Amino acid sequence: MSTRRDGLQLLVALAGACVFAPAGALTRLPDKQIRLSSAQGRAFRAWMVRIVRVQVERGPSPRWQHRDCAGLVRFAVTEALTAHDARWLRANGIATNRFLPPELGLSPEQARLRNRWLQTGGTVGHFVTALALVQHNSRPLGRDVNIAQPGDLLFYDHGDAQHLMVWMGAHIAYHTGTVTPDDNGLRSVGIRQLMNWKDTRWHPSADNPNFAGVYRLAFLA
């Protein structure tokens, strides 16, 4: 964010960034799910955060389509579940070095998680909205951000519009839903700054009725 004022204007614009039906009652997923092990989950989180950070710092990958809040999550999840060989690293502008997260080592069954999102109605596809992403592909953890881990999602419900942000640890990343020749829509903001934002609709706190809570992807422990 260049300035607090510019950032505020962009966050206000987020109210229309992911427009879908109202969230209503967000249901839990059935218990039978393909899951990653604890070690795989740690590696996945590290890759997801690295991928999101690269998008924010260097601009969106040409391979990332549907550039909005849910699109950022779909892209990062899909790429984090991909084998990160030398060709992949070059294509994503990530240097090969000893600081890379470990590979996930997915089983054939786990590998099928890639590009498979549960839709409203029970079908499976490559695309999913922000609402369906949390409603059918994640589980709610509560409205206390202290429980969030890197790669978890913050979900906001404004009635006629929903929005996702990605918890990165010390800060939060998101897409405004708007792209112009001079602005790719990607932003990063510190949690303290967001907690004290002038527009209280974006406070990630339990006393904000627009903050639905923290959500964790269903395949993570």
Side-chain angles (χ1 to χ4, degrees):
M1 293 189 172
S2 56
T3 67
R4 184 179 178 87
R5 181 177 179 181
D6 291 343
L8 177 58
Q9 293 172 341
L10 287 164
L11 273 178
V12 170
L14 285 174
C18 298
V19 180
F20 308 109
L26 298 180
T27 57
R28 288 186 177 273
L29 289 162
D31 292 335
K32 189 176 182 180
Q33 292 286 322
I34 300 173
R35 295 185 183 272
L36 303 185
S37 69
S38 295
Q40 289 173 322
R42 289 191 295 271
F44 169 85
R45 291 178 184 279
W47 277 111
M48 182 174 175
V49 169
R50 175 71 66 90
I51 291 161
V52 172
R53 182 180 297 126
V54 168
Q55 306 310 302
V56 173
E57 293 177 352
R58 302 186 183 182
S61 165
R63 294 163 43 241
W64 170 18
Q65 304 297 318
H66 303 110
R67 292 179 187 170
D68 58 13
C69 63
L72 176 61
V73 175
R74 292 194 307 269
F75 176 78
V77 169
T78 297
E79 296 302 316
L81 290 169
T82 300
H84 309 102
D85 55 19
R87 182 178 179 181
W88 183 93
L89 293 171
R90 287 194 301 272
N92 286 273
I94 298 177
T96 302
N97 57 48
R98 61 189 178 89
F99 299 108
L100 290 176
E103 285 300 296
L104 277 64
L106 300 177
S107 68
E109 183 182 37
Q110 291 171 326
R112 289 197 291 272
L113 289 167
R114 187 173 183 265
N115 274 326
R116 286 179 61 84
W117 298 101
L118 184 61
Q119 317 287 322
T120 300
T123 60
V124 175
H126 297 315
F127 180 86
V128 70
T129 65
L131 177 58
L133 202 155
V134 297
Q135 191 171 35
H136 304 305
N137 298 274
S138 306
R139 63 184 185 276
L141 301 180
R143 300 173 71 196
D144 181 359
V145 294
N146 291 310
I147 63 179
Q149 296 183 33
D152 286 345
L153 308 175
L154 306 186
F155 183 63
Y156 294 83
D157 183 5
H158 293 274
D160 59 348
Q162 288 78 47
H163 187 72
L164 290 170
M165 297 183 181
V166 180
W167 182 269
M168 304 283 282
H171 62 285
I172 295 162
Y174 60 92
H175 193 283
T176 65
T178 302
V179 178
T180 70
D182 301 318
D183 185 354
N184 61 28
L186 287 161
R187 297 292 185 273
S188 177
V189 61
I191 180 60
R192 289 188 178 182
Q193 186 180 3
L194 191 57
M195 281 288 197
N196 293 288
W197 214 262
K198 184 177 180 180
D199 187 342
T200 59
R201 295 177 303 162
W202 299 104
H203 289 182
S205 57
D207 60 354
N208 174 16
N210 297 120
F211 178 57
V214 180
Y215 286 77
R216 183 161 296 164
L217 292 164
F219 55 77
L220 294 174

